[in-house]
Amino acid sequence: MSAPNTKQIKLDEAEMQKAFEVIGDVQNEIDRLNEQASEEILQVEQKYNKLRQPNYKKRSDLISKIPSFWISVFLNHPQLSSYLDQNDENILQYLKRVDVEEHDDIKSGYRIKFTFDTNPYFENDVIVKEFSVTESSETTCKSTTLRWKNETKNGQSASSSKKSDGESRKRAHDTENNNNEHGAFMTWFTDTTGEAGNDEFGEVIKDDIFVNPLQYYLAATTNDEEEGSGGENDEDDDLEEKDDEQE
């Protein structure tokens, strides 16, 4: 069989320049349509973001009545749990509400509001961290100034405060490298320089945890139940072995 003819017709310089101009025009039309699509998608997101707000509020009101809900969620999240240490657990056990509020146009930023019960660490009931995107696409952030209580009292409270259910969980994070006595969470919250993974920590809360926190809370409960059921099976096996020995 003869080989297929792969000879290409060569364009002269003028024809090639004309082809480039046409390709450029087509690409401009594609870019225009993409930009139009982005604007329409943004309008839809803005519409449904407003429609979701009553449901978010209802959900937050219900969650705030469940003890240790948010600390369980944070400790069971595969990313955040690796950052948190015992100092974080001591503080986050008082966290009762997390609310994410996107800016009206969505694209210019968002804020995360944390509501705490009265605690021995700081006086604020509500603390907020806000991220803003500038016209040059740079991200800046600011956070509520924390009114820390007596530092000596904080040290005493850290050792005598009620320990959370997740205290016994292992941490991948090396606490010896944590130079902030208040833990990684507060280090992230108070940092406004962008040097402590501000975007990543905030994005995980906004785009993953806040979207469906219940899945992480229930996952923790499921794991506890499985561990408990495993213990019961072990006891049954022990009893069966004893019966066999007696026979």
Side-chain angles (χ1 to χ4, degrees):
M1 295 178 61
S2 60
N5 186 5
T6 58
K7 184 178 180 180
Q8 297 180 349
I9 300 176
K10 295 183 179 180
L11 300 178
D12 60 29
E13 185 175 347
E15 291 175 326
M16 187 172 295
Q17 182 62 36
K18 180 63 176 178
F20 287 151
E21 292 176 358
V22 174
I23 293 172
D25 292 339
V26 174
Q27 186 61 52
N28 289 336
E29 178 62 15
I30 293 172
D31 293 341
R32 185 189 69 79
L33 291 172
N34 289 340
E35 184 176 350
Q36 181 180 343
S38 297
E39 289 297 325
E40 292 183 7
I41 291 171
L42 181 60
Q43 292 175 10
V44 172
E45 290 179 348
Q46 292 170 347
K47 172 185 176 181
Y48 282 93
N49 187 50
K50 291 180 179 179
L51 293 175
R52 285 191 290 262
Q53 295 311 308
N55 293 294
Y56 284 147
K57 183 181 183 306
K58 181 178 181 180
R59 187 184 68 182
S60 290
D61 291 342
L62 293 170
I63 287 176
S64 65
K65 300 175 182 178
I66 302 175
S68 302
F69 181 91
W70 284 108
I71 188 173
S72 297
V73 170
F74 279 29
L75 292 179
N76 206 53
H77 190 274
Q79 286 178 265
L80 294 194
S81 61
S82 64
Y83 290 100
L84 306 180
D85 60 21
Q86 187 57 52
N87 293 323
D88 294 298
E89 292 188 32
N90 290 338
I91 292 177
L92 291 175
Q93 66 176 304
Y94 296 97
L95 179 62
K96 69 175 183 179
R97 187 173 184 130
V98 176
D99 294 292
V100 174
E101 301 171 353
E102 295 190 274
H103 292 181
D104 290 340
D105 63 356
I106 296 181
K107 62 182 180 180
S108 67
Y110 63 95
R111 64 185 65 86
I112 306 177
K113 181 165 41 174
F114 304 93
T115 303
F116 285 81
D117 281 324
T118 301
N119 63 82
Y121 301 102
F122 48 85
E123 297 177 358
N124 311 66
D125 295 327
V126 178
I127 59 176
V128 179
K129 182 147 194 173
E130 182 169 2
F131 295 86
S132 299
V133 181
T134 65
E135 293 183 357
S136 58
S137 298
E138 294 182 357
T139 301
T140 61
C141 63
K142 60 183 179 179
S143 58
T144 303
T145 300
L146 291 170
R147 301 191 300 276
W148 293 104
K149 295 181 179 179
N150 185 278
E151 294 296 330
T152 303
K153 181 178 179 181
N154 274 347
Q156 295 173 348
S157 299
S159 60
S160 63
S161 61
K162 178 182 177 183
K163 297 180 180 180
S164 66
D165 294 337
E167 178 181 344
S168 60
R169 297 169 184 248
K170 294 181 179 179
R171 293 284 172 272
H173 178 68
D174 186 358
T175 56
E176 292 181 358
N177 293 330
N178 183 7
N179 59 3
N180 190 309
E181 64 177 308
H182 300 301
F185 176 80
M186 284 304 174
T187 299
W188 162 77
F189 181 84
T190 57
D191 176 58
T192 57
T193 65
E195 297 178 355
N198 271 315
D199 291 349
E200 182 180 0
F201 211 121
E203 292 291 335
V204 168
I205 295 175
K206 177 177 74 76
D207 295 331
D208 187 6
I209 288 180
F210 186 71
V211 171
N212 185 4
L214 186 62
Q215 63 177 320
Y216 296 109
Y217 180 81
L218 293 179
T221 304
T222 301
N223 291 337
D224 292 341
E225 290 178 350
E226 289 178 352
E227 291 175 1
S229 62
E232 292 176 359
N233 291 334
D234 292 340
E235 292 178 359
D236 292 340
D237 292 340
D238 291 340
L239 290 175
E240 290 178 0
E241 290 178 1
K242 289 180 179 179
D243 291 339
D244 292 337
E245 292 176 357
Q246 292 176 356
E247 292 177 358

